[in-house]
Amino acid sequence: MGVIVTGAGKGIGEAVALRLAQDGTDMVLVDVDADALGQTLAAVEKAGSSARSVAGSVTEEAVAAEAANLCIEAFGTLDGLSHNAGIQRYGNAATTTVEEWDEVLNVNLRGAFLMARAALPKMTDGTGSVVMMASVQSFATQQNVAAYTASKHGLVGLTKSIAVDFADRGIRCNAVAPGTVETPMLEWALSLSEDAEGVMDEIRAMHPLGRAGRPGEIAEVVAFLLGDSASFITGEVIRVDGGLLSRLGGTPKKD
Ligand SMILES: NC(=O)c1ccc[n+]([C@@H]2O[C@H](COP(=O)([O-])OP(=O)(O)OC[C@H]3O[C@@H](n4cnc5c(N)ncnc54)[C@H](O)[C@@H]3O)[C@@H](O)[C@H]2O)c1
C-alpha cells in the first residue's frame, strides 16, 4: 500500500507519516523543507516502513507528478493521498497583500488540487482514498485570516467535488478539520504576539476540552479515513476540534 503524505516534514503531516508507519504503510513524503523531510524519512524507516521523499513545493506541477510516479515505481500502487501542506498569513480583505493572498491560495488550495490531479489517475480503484487537511476555518472564521479562511472553505468544496467525481471508481475523498493543534505553525503564530502565554490561555479556553490538540490526535483520524474502516465515508469533513465549533458564544438566559 503506497500513500503520498504532503507537509510531512513537520507538524500534522509528520504525525501522519509516523502514524502510518505504525501500520507498515509504504510512503512518498513531500515537503518544501528538505531537512525536516529527511528527519521524518529517517524516523519512518526506523519504524519499519519503506519511504521515498520528494523535496519541493506542492505548488509545482512537477513535484506532484514526481510524487505520484515515484509511488507507483517504488511500491507498485498508489492507494492514498494525505495532503497536509499549508501556510497561514494574517490580514483582512483590505490589508492582505495580493502577494500574500496568492501565496496562501497557491499552497493551501491550488497545491491540494495539483496533488490530487497528479494522484487520482494513478490511484487504486475500489480502495483509493484522499484526505485533505481542512480546518475549523473551513466553517467559521476569526478576524484577520481572510486568505486562509477562503482557502480552507475552498478545500471543502474540492473535497466534495473529488468525492462525487471519483465515486464511480470507488475512490473516496474526505477532509479533517482540526481546531488549534500544537505544531510549529502554532509556535510561529504565537511568536508574532507580545503575550504568547496569554494568547495560548485564550486558545485553551476557546476549546471546550480546555486544551489545544496534539498532532497525533489528528493523524489518527487521517489514518482511519485513508483505510478500509472508512469504506462508506466520502465527501465528509470530520471536525477534530475539542468541541470548538460546538459552542456558541454569549451567556444563556437563566430561568
Ligand atoms: N496547527 C493548527 O492549529 C492547524 C489547525 C487547523 C488546520 N491546520 C492545517 O494543518 C496543516 C498542517 O499544519 P501544521 O500546523 O502541521 O503546519 P506546520 O507549519 O507545523 O507544518 C507544515 C509543513 O508543511 C510544509 N509546507 C509548507 N508549505 C509547503 C509547500 N508549499 N509544499 C510542501 N510542503 C510545504 C512545511 O515545510 C511544514 O513541514 C495545514 O494545512 C494547516 O492549515 C493546522
Side-chain angles (χ1 to χ4, degrees):
M1 173 154 165
V3 173
I4 298 172
V5 181
T6 77
K10 289 189 190 151
I12 292 171
E14 176 189 16
V16 168
L18 294 175
R19 171 62 187 81
L20 296 181
Q22 288 175 15
D23 299 333
T25 304
D26 299 324
M27 278 171 270
V28 174
L29 309 175
V30 181
D31 203 290
V32 76
D33 180 338
D35 290 343
L37 187 63
Q39 286 175 27
T40 306
L41 181 76
V44 159
E45 286 182 330
K46 196 173 169 201
S49 278
S50 292
R52 304 285 186 277
S53 65
V54 178
S57 174
V58 295
T59 59
E60 303 289 333
E61 268 187 88
V63 168
E66 189 183 340
N69 290 335
L70 192 54
C71 195
I72 298 288
E73 270 168 40
F75 309 124
T77 59
L78 200 176
D79 304 284
L81 166 65
S82 163
H83 179 72
N84 309 290
I87 58 169
Q88 172 70 284
R89 297 288 179 264
Y90 293 101
N92 64 32
T95 59
T96 299
T97 65
V98 174
E99 290 73 23
E100 286 167 332
W101 176 271
D102 287 346
E103 192 186 5
V104 172
L105 271 289
N106 210 16
V107 176
N108 295 7
L109 188 53
R110 187 170 176 274
F113 158 66
L114 290 181
M115 289 306 306
R117 187 171 183 277
L120 284 164
K122 300 180 189 300
M123 202 168 268
T124 310
D125 289 351
T127 55
S129 175
V130 177
V131 182
M132 300 296 190
M133 194 50 59
S135 166
V136 287
Q137 282 165 346
S138 295
F139 301 104
T141 193
Q142 294 169 299
Q143 287 178 316
N144 287 322
V145 283
Y148 186 85
T149 297
S151 73
K152 293 297 182 179
H153 273 65
L155 194 53
V156 170
L158 178 63
T159 299
K160 291 176 183 169
S161 292
I162 293 172
V164 168
D165 290 336
F166 291 85
D168 60 353
R169 282 182 49 199
I171 292 173
R172 298 177 297 104
C173 182
N174 295 288
V176 177
T180 307
V181 185
E182 289 169 354
T183 68
M185 181 187 276
L186 174 61
E187 283 165 29
W188 168 79
L190 291 173
S191 76
L192 303 177
S193 166
E194 281 169 15
D195 179 21
E197 199 38 52
V199 175
M200 197 59 221
D201 283 344
E202 263 181 49
I203 288 172
R204 290 189 193 101
M206 211 163 75
H207 296 74
L209 286 181
R211 63 174 176 85
R214 295 182 281 270
E217 293 174 314
I218 314 303
E220 205 57 56
V221 182
V222 174
F224 164 68
L225 288 172
L226 282 173
D228 283 346
S229 303
S231 53
F232 202 51
I233 303 177
T234 197
E236 183 57 277
V237 188
I238 300 187
R239 288 191 287 126
V240 188
D241 68 353
L244 175 59
L245 288 182
S246 294
R247 182 161 64 190
L248 292 175
T251 310
K253 186 174 174 298
K254 302 249 175 8
D255 288 336

